[in-house]
Amino acid sequence: MRLNVSAKIAPVFTHEGAPAIRHLSAEQQLRRSVMSCLLWEKEFYEDGKTIADRIVEYAEKVPPAVLAGVAIEARETFNLRHVPLLLLDVLSRTGKGDRIVADTVDRVIQRADEMGELLAIYWRDGRKMVPAQMRNGLARALCRFDEYRLAKYDRDGVVKLRDVLRMVRPRPANDEQSALFRRIKDRTLSTPDTWEVALSGGADKRETFERLLREEKLGYLALLRNLRGMATAGVEADLIRDAILARKGARRVLPFRYVAAARAAPQFEPFLDQALQAAIADLPRLGGRTIVLVDVSQSMEWAMSQKSDMVRMDAAAALGAIVNAERLRLFTFSERVVEVPPRRGMAGVDAIKRSQVHSGTALGAAVAAMNAVPHDRLIVITDEQSADQVPPPVAERAYMINVASNRNGVGYGRWIHIDGFSEGVLRFIHEVERSH
């Protein structure tokens, strides 16, 4: 038997059969699975458990510092809530005993309910001892929240807020905080003034929303998610309009949320469009000739989550419609390529989604067609699951933005590969070009 022979590396393919890139590092595999992931939600090609298991597999392979950075980026730049908690679970093992665990837990936890969710993930296979550094990070996070933010999320989940308190045993900074901790333990926190509490207590829907809007106590995401209900209840339209345009607390709202709100309450689309335009007003302008190519194939029609009517195409179209470029041409592709007007905001989203029939994923043919069009920059927004081989781009600056969590992809090599559906991916393009 001969041993001095070169090892054969098995080829890898996309889910649609095109050759994919084989030599991805553990960090690259982790990022492509994380940055567009709504944890444990089924996608078009893969189920949520498969994706989550892969995330754990590659998270265990990267150094703790890299894993901590990915978790922070997923939470702060891409505004993901649950998948960063899964990364913290892995970090508690790979970085055991290192302060990086406590520091990262403290930074990633940004809502009071995320403390219980982290422990629920950590205990998903049965209760066990919580590592000291995770307890330390949770204690620091717990001490950051005031009574209102704690009471807002003191729910009857598997892991309650008082369970977190008992587990981490934070040291109160003063008598006032000590009393707050006793109220957490006794579950006697002051009832928060939220729309959920008011409506569950039998309050009138119209009166409740109008009062919260006037008092500026309704969070922006809650506003967008409740537009249809408010309109049905007869809430004063001017109050809703003013709140939409004010954008109070809108910093973490992803672009596709505006699209979802406009779909639910189309009468407010003009104001939602204004708010979206304001949200992206500071996006840097890309110089030269830019082509944006958006995937509208059938796989992009899969729902973002079981409870949502938003699909991956909404996220891709929202990104495509907010690119700020000096000279822009906008195309969509499925089994053919169609040019659409390079409109921004809601009009651009509509043009992209209505451009053609959503069928196969001929990404290779689409890139080849774009290579024949004069341009300085190519931005492709896709789930990367091409059915045909993808040629290298001819543009010196070519970006493949992956908006799904599939195992294999095609956008590496000559491509600058970016994962995620936050507007942060467009800011990244500007940073790349500014640094070169």
Side-chain angles (χ1 to χ4, degrees):
M1 174 176 160
R2 295 177 57 201
L3 297 179
N4 190 24
V5 293
S6 60
K8 291 185 177 180
I9 302 177
V12 296
F13 301 93
T14 68
H15 287 286
E16 290 292 336
I21 302 300
R22 293 184 297 184
H23 305 288
L24 296 185
S25 67
E27 182 180 353
Q28 287 174 317
Q29 287 281 15
L30 179 64
R31 293 182 65 87
R32 68 173 293 108
S33 297
V34 163
M35 295 305 181
S36 298
C37 179
L38 301 183
L39 190 60
W40 287 305
E41 294 288 352
K42 180 174 173 28
E43 297 186 12
F44 184 82
Y45 295 105
E46 297 181 87
D47 63 76
K49 184 179 184 304
T50 298
I51 295 170
D53 289 347
R54 182 168 66 250
I55 288 172
V56 171
E57 174 190 353
Y58 286 106
E60 291 175 341
K61 293 179 179 180
V62 301
V66 171
L67 180 55
V70 172
I72 291 168
E73 185 179 358
R75 186 69 183 97
E76 295 185 349
T77 301
F78 294 93
N79 299 322
L80 300 172
R81 289 192 53 236
H82 294 97
V83 71
L85 302 180
L86 181 63
L87 299 182
L88 293 180
D89 168 47
V90 178
L91 182 63
S92 71
R93 300 193 302 274
T94 63
K96 187 175 182 180
D98 194 319
R99 181 172 175 173
I100 195 173
V101 176
D103 290 346
T104 309
V105 169
D106 182 30
R107 185 164 172 180
V108 167
I109 297 293
Q110 297 181 14
R111 268 181 33 170
D113 58 334
E114 292 168 356
M115 296 182 290
E117 289 174 10
L118 173 57
L119 288 177
I121 288 174
Y122 182 76
W123 286 331
R124 65 190 181 278
D125 296 321
R127 293 223 172 189
K128 54 189 174 182
M129 179 70 70
V130 178
Q133 289 295 328
M134 180 183 278
R135 293 200 307 271
N136 184 10
L138 283 167
R140 286 158 55 184
L142 180 60
C143 291
R144 283 192 282 107
F145 297 111
D146 59 23
E147 184 162 8
Y148 175 84
R149 292 191 293 170
L150 290 166
K152 185 176 179 180
Y153 296 109
D154 188 14
R155 298 166 177 164
D156 289 322
V158 174
V159 182
K160 300 176 180 62
L161 198 54
R162 69 181 179 190
D163 297 327
V164 177
L165 181 71
R166 289 168 176 165
M167 175 57 62
V168 305
R169 300 182 182 277
R171 179 175 297 177
N174 48 47
D175 291 343
E176 182 181 353
Q177 193 169 65
S178 179
L180 174 61
F181 290 165
R182 283 196 298 272
R183 291 194 294 277
I184 293 174
K185 179 181 177 182
D186 298 336
R187 300 200 76 186
T188 56
L189 291 168
S190 300
T191 303
D193 186 12
T194 66
W195 67 272
E196 299 101 324
V197 170
L199 297 186
S200 64
D204 180 82
K205 181 178 287 189
R206 175 179 175 176
E207 292 177 358
T208 296
F209 278 120
E210 288 187 348
R211 177 181 62 80
L212 292 174
L213 287 171
R214 289 192 176 96
E215 296 174 0
E216 297 185 348
K217 290 183 176 180
L218 189 64
Y220 201 71
L221 187 55
L223 168 69
L224 297 186
R225 285 175 167 169
N226 282 284
L227 284 181
R228 178 186 291 163
M230 285 190 283
T232 302
V235 173
E236 186 178 330
D238 288 348
L239 278 176
I240 298 174
R241 176 203 62 199
D242 292 346
I244 292 172
L245 296 179
R247 298 180 53 249
K248 182 179 172 62
R251 185 174 63 89
R252 290 192 174 278
V253 175
L254 295 167
F256 71 83
R257 297 291 187 189
Y258 295 91
V259 179
R263 178 180 300 161
Q267 65 269 47
F268 295 114
E269 181 174 307
F271 314 121
L272 291 164
D273 194 28
Q274 290 182 55
L276 175 58
Q277 299 285 359
I280 62 176
D282 66 336
L283 277 177
R285 189 175 181 83
L286 300 171
R289 301 167 299 178
T290 300
I291 289 178
V292 174
L293 178 64
V294 182
D295 187 346
V296 294
S297 63
Q298 189 175 9
S299 62
M300 296 287 285
E301 291 189 296
W302 195 259
M304 301 282 281
S305 72
Q306 289 183 344
K307 297 181 179 179
S308 173
D309 63 351
M310 297 299 293
V311 297
R312 296 276 160 182
M313 196 182 303
D314 291 317
L319 283 179
I322 64 175
V323 173
N324 188 8
E326 181 182 1
R327 296 167 62 187
L328 175 66
R329 294 182 70 178
L330 181 60
F331 297 83
T332 68
F333 78 91
S334 182
E335 290 188 350
R336 62 192 183 102
V337 177
V338 174
E339 185 165 11
V340 299
R343 299 168 182 153
R344 299 195 81 203
M346 297 296 180
V349 172
D350 191 60
I352 290 167
K353 296 194 66 177
R354 293 176 180 270
S355 60
Q356 61 174 295
V357 175
H358 309 151
S359 52
T361 313
L363 175 55
V367 171
M370 296 301 95
N371 282 346
V373 178
H375 62 281
D376 305 303
R377 179 187 301 102
L378 174 60
I379 301 173
V380 181
I381 307 172
T382 177
D383 65 5
E384 288 191 87
Q385 299 310 295
S386 182
D388 54 349
Q389 185 163 354
V390 179
V394 298
E396 180 180 349
R397 289 163 287 183
Y399 305 89
M400 186 76 74
I401 299 176
N402 172 40
V403 296
S405 301
N406 302 296
R407 176 183 289 275
N408 297 323
V410 297
Y412 298 87
R414 286 281 310 279
W415 299 92
I416 296 175
H417 193 272
I418 314 172
D419 299 290
F421 44 63
S422 159
E423 72 277 7
V425 300
L426 302 180
R427 299 184 192 280
F428 177 79
I429 290 174
H430 174 74
E431 291 301 319
V432 167
E433 298 193 0
R434 189 175 67 172
S435 63
H436 285 76

